[in-house]
Structure formats: structure tokens, C-alpha cells
Amino acid sequence: MGRAAPAPSGPDMTAGRSPNRPVRALFSTRTVAGQVFVFVLGLVLLLVTAGAIALVLEGRRDSMAEAEAHTLGVAETFAHAPGTAAALDSRDPTAILQPRAEEVRRLTHVESVVVAGPQGIRYTHPDPALIGKHLIGPYKEALAGHSFTRTFNGSLGLSVNSVVPVPRPDGSIAGVVSVGIGVESVNSVADRSIPLSAGAAVVALAITTGGATLLSRRLSRQTHGLGAAEMTRMYEHHDAVLHAVREGVLIVGADRRLTLANDEARRLLDLPPGAEGRAVAELGLDPATEDLLVSGRTVTDEVLRAGNRLLAVNLRPTDTDGGPLGTVVTLRDTTELRAVTGQAEFATERLLLLYEAGARIGTTLDVTRTAQELADVAIPGFADAATVDLADPVLRGDEPVTSDGGTLEMRRTAVAAVRADHPLYPVGHAVGFVPTRTRAMRVHSDDADLKSDFSKLGWRNWDSEVVERIRVQGFHSIISVPLHARGTVLGMANFWRSGDSEPFDDDDVSFAEELVARAAVGVDNARRYAREHALAVTLQRSLLPRALPEQNALEVAHRYLPAYEGVGGDWFDVIPLSGARVALVVGDVVGHGLHAAATMGRLRTSVHNFSSLDPAPDELLGHLDELVARIDRDEAKEGDPEIAGATCLYAIYDAVSGNCAVARAGHPAPVMVLPDGTVECPEVPTGLPLGIGGMPFEAAEFHVPEGSRLVLYTDGLVERRGRDIDTGLGLLREALAGRDRTPEETCDDVLAALLPDRPDDDVALLVARTRTLDPDQVAQWAVATDPAAVAGVRKNVAQWLTDRGLEEEAFATELILSELVTNAVRYGTAPIEVRLLYDRNLICEVSDSSSTSPHLRYAATTDEGGRGLFLVAQFAERWGTRYTETGKVIWSEQTVGEPEEDDL
């Protein structure tokens, strides 16, 4: 196992050294830096020389190959040129071919173009003296019809020659053409690159020498100019001293990795093999030990528990004298002091266990979870097994009440044991307890016969098989402590020891009482919270819609899930409006608990009241904003610190036009799923949350294709701890995309994809599939501002109703429209329009551009008018006025198919 030695320093390392020693060490082969420098320089020199030689040889080889290809090409071109074969068969071939050969030689930059007859007699040659002499070289192969290229000594010396036969038209050979280039000429071309290669080699050598110099200088500084023998001797001395001392030594680097650990440190901390070089966090140390080792602070004799050992720890930084960043840690085993400090250690253990219990018990406001935390914290530090039994009313959030001498029915709520096959009753088993005392009771097998006298513990219905298993597994000591809070016994906690464990003593009884007393407070708090949570959930659900109203514009599904801890103020609503329109509402009140639920009920009622006036979405939110601000002011005067701030989204869907108008106050925007499964997020301006005030709200209107799904939700669906809202919105879009689903299926899929088993916040989800009225269900006429136009309207309406089989509604409808149109003509402003809608009911609408609204009143006997709206109210099931951007609409609804009343 290798160990990293720290860089030597101090007077003994630097005394007697001259200032120029590092420079000399750079070039001295006695030092490590010099050896590295010489080795690197020699290696680079060898590589550069070999590379330069290889470049020259490669250049010559490439030049030779190029020369062979060039001579062969020239020879073949000349041999197959027109007239070459005829010239060879002429009386004077030399006269014809010698000029041509010289011209080709000059143009192609070859050294010789020789043409010879079948007997090998030259007809051309650069040297005229050689013409007529026999051709030198293996030309006979060419006479057989084969071209070839050879390197051989000819009349011009060592040359690269290509010999090509000259064919006659009948296929016979008329002679040969030999083209040659001297090898020296070829090599001279390749040798031109030698200076460039040599220059590159020199540059590479210079750069490498400079790099080797810098590397050697750095290595020389790090090794302080020491030689290999000196470093080996120093390391051996360092290693011997480091592992001979009886103190643990650790070096932790600035990157929190273990740089060095001696044998004693490995033993004391039980370090795993190969610990050096690994991060301290990966060594499996106790969290307290890990935090101390990487703290970087100066520590002197701090006591640290490591398993069963007590260690005295000293920490010192390594960079005080210019050394590297890190920490030197020394450890001394002080476990032998335990004999002297046994009682203090026992008290410390108990205090640590109580501290751990305070941190682990009551982390949630859940009765069952708190009971399990009590059982878990006692194992194995205090007992071998622990059980917690709680009264049935406590599990429901109620306070247990028993009559005098009665038995408190309890149920096993938590079990924890060292052995998985323990014999104790499982969770859910019913047990009984007579609450005659609130103090703990300790029983040991030497004091009482546990095999037969369990009645001392106040228990009943013991199973003989369980008793036998308790005896076989060696359970010999038990402490039973009632859980009581505010004078009421909530249950019983039991701690068991078995086997070789020491029996419980009086100190253990006191500790058990203290431990259970702390847990009892948590159980009681959880019980009271469970009761309040149940009340809040009940109130919340009672304030939410029991059933959705009947309407044809939307197919609606909804879900409401309360938070696991704390009920909030989320709500939703579906409100039918006039003119085949439906309002969709989703809101969220700030805070949790009864206050939020009650505020939600007030806001939901207010939305219903405001919607009866049929305002635009932005106007309704403006009224709601004023209401929330007024509630906050009133509660502030009464000293209530809670605020009623809320977010809300209000949307109105029109089944006639298929348009949807939406406004929101600090609420998440709606999501629209088209019939083909495409998910869109309409742009809706974001307003401030309700109650802040100061800024108006802005509505957006967009078209919704029939069969689309509008998805409205509260932020609890897409936002939670550990996940931002953008991630949640992405998951929501993924859950909605794809196949077409019913609203009910959509709700189930969305909740399954986005919500955990225990949501942190309330969730309200509303999914509405849109429908539009068939054009045959809508009729619209323009009306002139003339009282005579009423007759035409009545005629058109009667015909339209007859076409749809609604003759029985004609009389009442004509009467209603006559009165409404007459009012519009008399008191309204053009243009005037009449619209009939046949949905679940028959809807009559008369619109004009006036903002004056008529009022229902009782006319006196002598009055000539004033009875029109009274008649409308008698014949219509509902009627009212809604204002638009251009005026108003007076509307009425009639229930189709119901008999008319005779008495007016």
C-alpha cells in the first residue's frame, strides 16, 4: 500500500545549499530532476531524428513511384501515337522519330526517349552518337507485348526506365519505346524537402527542450533538488516514524480527500482498505467524525466517540508555513478512561438518547407515525424490543374516556425489535388496559412469573402460544410506562430486554418515564391536530359543491384532495349563466386550517352572488378583490394576524359562439386540450392576488373548438417541495397530451401522474369538455325601432317554434318577446336584436345599445302601463338583465314541456 510522503521542509533540509544548486540539479544526473531532464531530452532527440529520417525516406519513395508512373505514361503515349508504328517500318525511322522523341523529352521533362526496332537497334537517343547501337536492358519482354518499368544501369547511368511495345494495326510488334529518368534526378526532388524537415525537427527539439526544462525545474523545486537515493532514505525514515508512533495520524487535503493515514489511525477509525485518495464522506465514518475531520479548524484534545472508543483529537492546518492546504489530524485512544468515567459516560449516553428522541419523535402531526418513532428510538440503544399501544379514540383524534373501573380498549400501534421474528403482538392487534396508575412499572423474571402472571401489567387476552415464544426467545425484563398528557392516559409504551442484555434497573425506569413523557406530548399534539384536521376537512367539504348543476354547455369532472397536513382553502365551482353560458371558478385561499376553510366559504358565496349580476370575468374579480381587502381590514381591527388573501380564476364559456373569456388573480393559467390531443396554454394576463388591490384585472377571450377540454387547477397540483412550478406544468402537459379521454379519465390520469400519496397542499382540479349549440338551436333577428315591428317578431318566433315542435310554448314565448321588444323599442336604443336559444330550456333574449335596465313593479289600477315585466316574470321561470360592452341584454328562460299556470 503506497503512502504519500509530505514535502520535507525545515532547517535540516535546506542548510548548506547554495543558491545555484537548483539550477545545477537541473542538469545533474544525480538528482531526480536531472535524470528526468536527460531522459526526456534523449527520448525526444531520438524521436525527432527518427522522424526526420523517415520523412526523407518516405519522400524518396514517393518520388520514385511518381517517376515510374510518369515514364510509363510518356512511353505508352509515344508508343501509341499515330505514325509511330509507320515510322518504324519506314526506310529512315531516325529521321522521322528523332525530332519527335526530342520534342516529347523536352515537354515531359524526362531524360531519355529511346525508340528501338525489334532487333533492339536504337533509332532515337538524346546522344546522337548512340543511335544505331544496340539497346541496353531487358527490352525483349516488351517485344512479347508487355509493358514494364525497371530500374537499371543504362547509357545514362542508374535510371528508372519504362519500356512499352509499339503495336502495328495487325497486332504485331513494330518496335519498343523506352523512357527513362535518372535516379539522381528523382532523389534530388525528394531531397528538396530535407531542409524543411530538418528545420521542423530543430523547432520541435527546441520546444521539447524548453518544455523538459520547465518540467525539470518544477520537479526540482518539488523535490528540493534531491536525488533518488536521498528521497528513498527520507521516505523510509518518514514511513518508519509515522507507523511506529502509537498515535493515529491523518492528512486531509483541501479537496476533503484522505491523503495519508498511518496504521494506528486505520485501527482507531476502522478505515476500509484503500482509504487513501478517497473523499472523507465515502469512508463510512460517523457524521460527527466526518464533520470534524473536514472542518478545517484548529482543535486541541477534543473528545470524539468512534464506535466503542473515545478519541482525543487534535487538528492543525498544514498551510501555516507556506505548505499545501490541508489538515493534519492526530488521534489518541482514551478508552481506558472509561473505567474512571463510567457513570459520566452512562449519563452521556442517556442524554444523547434523549436528545435523539427529541429530534426524532414528533416530526409529523400523525399519531401512528409518532408512536412508531417512539418505538424506533428505543431500539437498540435502550431495549431489545419496544411496543406502543394507543386507545382507539386517540387514533381517531378523540380524547379517551373510561368509566370507573372500566377497561380502556387499546390497539397495538407500533412495534420495533432487534429480531424480525419477535413474538410480540403485531400492529393492529387489540389489547386492553386498566388505567389505575400513571407511573412506570418494572417487571423481571426473577421478581414475577411472566409465564403466568401477565395481569400485573394490566393486560388481558394473552395467547398461550405468544407466551411460549416470549419464554423461548429469552425475554426476561420489561418496563411498562403509561402515555399520559394533561391528566389523561392515552396508551402504554412497553420496553423489553432479552438474552444477554442486562435487566432494567431503577435508572432505566426513570429514563423510560422521561422518554415516554416526551413522546406523550407529541402523541397528544398529533391527536389534537388529527381532530382539528378532521373538523377542517369536514368544514371544507361541506363548503364545496355537493353536486354540479345541470347544464348542457360542458361535461364536467372534478377532484378535491385535502393536504395530508393542514386543510387549505382551495375551491371550485360551476355556475350556469344566462344565454347557454357557464362560469368555471377555481380559487385558493392563503393559509391552512379552519380560518382558510371559512374564508373559502365566504368567497365562494360571494362569487355566486356576484355571478348573478352576470359581470365580465375581470369585473367580477375586481368586486372580489374589494371584498377580500375589506375582510383583511376588518380582521386587522380585531387583532387577527391572519389575512384572507387568495388567488382565483374565473372563466365564462359561451356554448353558442364557442368562445371562452378568462381572467385570473394570481392564479395558474388554464390549459386547453384540443380534440386531437394537442395541449395549448392560452395567454391570460396575470393579475395580482385578491386582497392586494391597486391594479385592475384584465380578461382574455379565445375560441375553444367543440370537444376540447378546459383544465383548471390550483397550484398544489403542479408545485410542491423539491419540484418547481415549471417542472410541474411540464408534467401536467405530458399527462394531458395524447389520446382523447373523458373528463373523469383525465382527472384520474392527471392525479396519478403529478400527485404523491400524501400531498403537501390542497388540490382542486376541474376538467370540462366543451359542447356548442347546433345552429338549428339558435335563431336571431334584427328589429326595427318601430312598434309595428313587434308583429313581425311574433310571426317569426311562432314559425321557428312550430318547426321545432314547440307549438305549446308559442303563446307564452310570443307574449314574453312582445313585452321585451316593446320595452326595447320604447325605451332602448338601436340596434335592437332578438335571439332564441333552445337548450335545456327555451331562452329569449332582446338586446339594445342602451344601458338603462327595466325594473319589475306592481302597476296601479289606473296605470296604463307597467305590467309588461310582471307578465314576463309570471310566464318565465327566470329572467334578468346582463350588460355588454355595447349595451344590455334582457333575457328570460322557460321550462319546455311544463304546463302553463292559469292564474296570473
Side-chain angles (χ1 to χ4, degrees):
M1 183 179 298
R3 303 180 177 89
S9 61
D12 57 326
M13 296 301 303
T14 57
R17 293 183 185 170
S18 65
N20 296 326
R21 179 172 180 180
V23 178
R24 294 197 305 270
L26 182 63
F27 304 102
S28 174
T29 57
R30 298 182 58 185
T31 66
V32 174
Q35 292 173 4
V36 170
F37 177 78
V38 172
F39 174 76
V40 171
L41 190 60
L43 179 63
V44 170
L45 183 60
L46 178 62
L47 292 177
V48 169
T49 302
I53 294 173
L55 287 175
V56 173
L57 294 178
E58 181 68 16
R60 288 193 173 186
R61 186 182 67 81
D62 293 343
S63 297
M64 187 66 72
E66 183 179 358
E68 291 175 355
H70 182 58
T71 56
L72 181 61
V74 172
E76 288 182 343
T77 301
F78 194 93
H80 293 86
T84 302
L88 285 171
D89 293 334
S90 65
R91 293 183 177 182
D92 191 1
T94 301
I96 300 173
L97 295 176
Q98 177 68 9
R100 295 182 184 179
E102 289 303 304
E103 181 69 17
V104 169
R105 183 178 65 82
R106 186 174 63 256
L107 293 176
T108 57
H109 303 289
V110 296
E111 293 186 356
S112 66
V113 177
V114 179
V115 181
Q119 294 77 25
I121 302 302
R122 297 189 184 100
Y123 295 134
T124 68
H125 198 278
D127 186 0
L130 297 179
I131 295 175
K133 294 185 178 181
H134 200 277
L135 186 66
I136 300 175
Y139 65 91
K140 293 183 179 181
E141 183 179 350
L143 293 175
H146 303 291
S147 301
F148 64 89
T149 301
R150 297 284 190 277
T151 301
F152 58 88
N153 281 309
S155 60
L156 300 178
L158 186 62
S159 303
V160 176
N161 277 67
S162 293
V163 182
V164 177
V166 179
R168 294 189 181 93
D170 59 359
S172 61
I173 303 303
V176 296
V177 177
S178 174
V179 178
I181 297 179
V183 173
E184 292 184 0
S185 299
V186 174
N187 290 339
S188 65
V189 175
D191 292 343
R192 295 172 188 170
S193 62
I194 293 177
L196 180 61
S197 300
V202 171
V203 172
L205 182 60
I207 293 174
T208 307
T209 302
T213 303
L214 294 177
L215 175 64
S216 299
R217 291 185 62 183
R218 180 178 179 85
L219 184 61
S220 178
R221 288 195 301 270
Q222 292 178 342
T223 59
H224 298 278
L226 297 175
E230 294 176 287
M231 294 182 64
T232 301
R233 184 171 61 256
M234 183 178 298
Y235 174 80
E236 290 174 349
H237 291 170
H238 156 269
D239 194 62
V241 173
L242 183 64
H243 297 283
V245 298
R246 298 309 303 164
E247 283 192 358
V249 179
L250 301 172
I251 296 180
V252 180
D255 57 354
R256 297 190 173 188
R257 292 184 177 274
L258 184 63
T259 303
L260 180 143
N262 68 350
D263 295 338
E264 183 67 8
R266 296 174 188 276
R267 183 184 70 84
L268 295 177
L269 296 179
D270 194 20
L271 296 178
E276 291 171 329
R278 295 169 59 183
V280 176
E282 301 174 357
L283 300 179
L285 301 176
D286 182 82
T289 304
E290 177 186 324
D291 293 342
L292 180 62
L293 295 181
V294 300
S295 64
R297 53 193 178 94
T298 300
V299 173
T300 301
D301 289 337
E302 181 171 326
V303 178
L304 179 68
R305 177 178 294 276
N308 295 325
R309 298 186 181 93
L310 291 177
L311 305 179
V313 183
N314 293 273
L315 276 75
R316 294 293 184 273
T318 59
D319 58 341
T320 53
D321 296 326
L325 291 174
T327 304
V328 175
V329 184
T330 60
L331 309 168
R332 294 197 313 275
D333 188 358
T334 60
T335 308
E336 62 274 6
L337 298 178
R338 295 181 62 185
V340 181
T341 59
Q343 294 298 324
E345 182 181 0
F346 178 80
T348 301
E349 290 178 354
R350 288 293 185 259
L351 288 174
L352 290 174
L353 192 55
L354 285 176
Y355 174 79
E356 182 181 0
R360 292 175 55 183
I361 298 176
T363 57
T364 62
L365 291 174
D366 182 87
V367 174
T368 303
R369 178 71 177 273
T370 303
Q372 187 63 52
E373 289 169 347
L374 169 60
D376 291 339
V377 80
I379 306 300
F382 178 65
D384 297 319
T387 62
V388 180
D389 307 322
L390 296 179
D392 284 339
V394 175
L395 298 174
R396 298 191 300 266
D398 299 328
E399 187 171 305
V401 177
T402 58
S403 58
D404 294 341
T407 299
L408 184 62
E409 292 297 332
M410 295 193 302
R411 193 167 303 277
R412 180 60 47 84
T413 308
V415 179
V418 174
R419 294 182 56 171
D421 60 341
H422 62 81
L424 305 176
Y425 286 130
V427 172
H429 185 82
V431 296
F433 167 66
V434 180
T436 58
R437 56 185 296 173
T438 59
R439 296 297 305 274
M441 180 170 56
R442 175 175 59 89
V443 179
H444 187 261
S445 57
D446 295 338
D447 303 331
D449 188 6
L450 291 182
K451 293 181 292 184
S452 60
D453 192 12
F454 282 103
S455 60
K456 286 191 63 177
L457 302 179
W459 290 5
R460 65 178 185 177
N461 300 328
W462 279 87
D463 191 307
S464 59
E465 182 180 350
V466 173
V467 173
E468 181 61 21
R469 290 177 60 194
I470 289 176
R471 185 190 63 80
V472 170
Q473 289 197 9
F475 282 85
H476 56 75
S477 186
I478 179 175
I479 295 179
S480 296
V481 186
L483 283 90
H484 58 87
R486 298 180 295 105
T488 302
V489 176
L490 306 177
M492 177 75 76
N494 308 284
F495 306 98
W496 305 73
R497 284 185 180 175
S498 61
D500 297 334
S501 300
E502 293 291 331
F504 289 116
D505 56 21
D506 292 338
D507 292 335
D508 294 325
V509 173
S510 299
F511 173 78
E513 289 181 329
E514 177 67 21
L515 182 63
V516 173
R518 297 191 178 195
V521 175
V523 170
D524 189 54
N525 289 338
R527 177 192 66 80
R528 297 171 67 183
Y529 171 78
R531 181 182 59 189
E532 293 183 2
H533 185 267
L535 291 174
V537 170
T538 302
L539 175 62
Q540 174 84 331
R541 293 193 180 278
S542 67
L543 294 174
L544 290 172
R546 300 291 181 88
L548 297 181
E550 295 181 355
Q551 45 81 33
N552 287 347
L554 298 170
E555 179 189 355
V556 181
H558 61 87
R559 296 289 187 274
Y560 170 74
L561 278 74
Y564 178 70
E565 295 183 358
V567 175
D570 293 13
W571 91 92
F572 62 91
D573 229 324
V574 179
I575 306 173
L577 302 177
S578 63
R581 298 175 306 131
V582 179
L584 300 175
V585 189
V586 175
D588 185 2
V589 176
V590 173
H592 293 83
L594 294 175
H595 180 272
T599 303
M600 178 273 291
R602 298 171 69 179
L603 295 183
R604 180 170 176 257
T605 302
S606 299
V607 171
H608 270 271
N609 293 334
F610 289 141
S611 64
S612 65
L613 302 176
D614 220 336
D618 53 336
E619 294 178 6
L620 184 140
L621 291 183
H623 295 312
L624 205 60
D625 182 54
E626 294 177 0
L627 173 66
V628 174
R630 185 164 60 252
I631 292 175
D632 286 343
R633 289 194 299 268
D634 293 343
E635 293 184 351
K637 292 178 182 179
E638 297 175 2
D640 191 347
E642 296 192 62
I643 63 172
T647 65
C648 183
L649 183 146
Y650 188 84
I652 297 178
Y653 173 71
D654 188 347
V656 178
S657 64
N659 291 337
C660 183
V662 183
R664 58 186 178 126
H667 201 85
V671 177
M672 180 171 64
V673 186
L674 300 179
D676 62 356
T678 303
V679 179
E680 294 184 359
C681 297
E683 291 292 336
V684 180
T686 304
L688 295 175
L690 300 175
I692 295 179
M695 296 295 292
F697 297 97
E698 185 178 356
E701 185 170 353
F702 51 90
H703 182 71
V704 183
E706 184 175 8
S708 299
R709 285 167 288 162
L710 290 173
V711 181
L712 282 63
Y713 54 91
T714 55
D715 59 357
L717 180 68
V718 296
E719 187 176 13
R720 70 182 188 193
R721 298 188 188 98
R723 184 181 73 190
D724 59 22
I725 191 169
D726 291 335
T727 302
L729 290 174
L731 293 175
L732 175 60
R733 287 191 290 267
E734 291 178 3
L736 293 173
R739 63 184 178 89
D740 187 24
R741 287 164 282 188
T742 65
E744 290 290 343
E745 293 173 338
T746 302
C747 288
D748 293 338
D749 292 346
V750 168
L751 295 183
L754 273 79
L755 285 188
D757 296 335
R758 296 181 173 183
D760 300 329
D761 194 7
D762 286 20
V763 175
L765 175 63
L766 197 64
V767 179
R769 187 198 296 271
T770 61
R771 300 168 178 164
T772 57
L773 293 184
D774 190 90
D776 190 55
Q777 296 176 273
V778 182
Q780 189 168 355
W781 301 279
V783 181
T785 56
D786 184 358
V790 176
V793 172
R794 296 180 63 150
K795 179 180 178 181
N796 293 335
V797 169
Q799 183 61 46
W800 190 80
L801 293 175
T802 300
D803 294 341
R804 285 150 186 79
L806 302 175
E807 295 88 349
E808 296 181 359
E809 313 299 330
F811 175 76
T813 305
E814 291 180 27
L815 181 60
I816 291 172
L817 283 176
S818 296
E819 296 300 332
L820 296 182
V821 172
T822 300
N823 275 338
V825 171
R826 182 175 299 175
Y827 304 108
T829 306
I832 302 173
E833 290 186 350
V834 173
R835 188 171 73 163
L836 290 183
L837 305 176
Y838 178 33
D839 190 19
R840 298 178 63 87
N841 298 325
L842 182 60
I843 303 171
C844 302
E845 295 182 348
V846 177
S847 62
D848 65 82
S849 58
S850 171
S851 60
T852 303
S853 175
H855 298 281
L856 180 65
R857 68 183 180 89
Y858 286 95
T861 305
T862 57
D863 289 346
E864 295 183 0
R867 296 177 179 83
L869 288 181
F870 183 78
L871 292 175
V872 172
Q874 292 297 312
F875 281 97
E877 183 177 352
R878 294 192 309 154
W879 75 279
T881 303
R882 71 173 181 267
Y883 294 93
T884 65
E885 295 180 356
T886 59
K888 69 177 182 298
V889 176
I890 303 177
W891 57 271
S892 68
E893 286 188 12
Q894 300 165 247
T895 302
V896 177
E898 289 190 359
E900 299 178 1
E901 296 182 4
D902 296 332
D903 298 332
L904 298 180

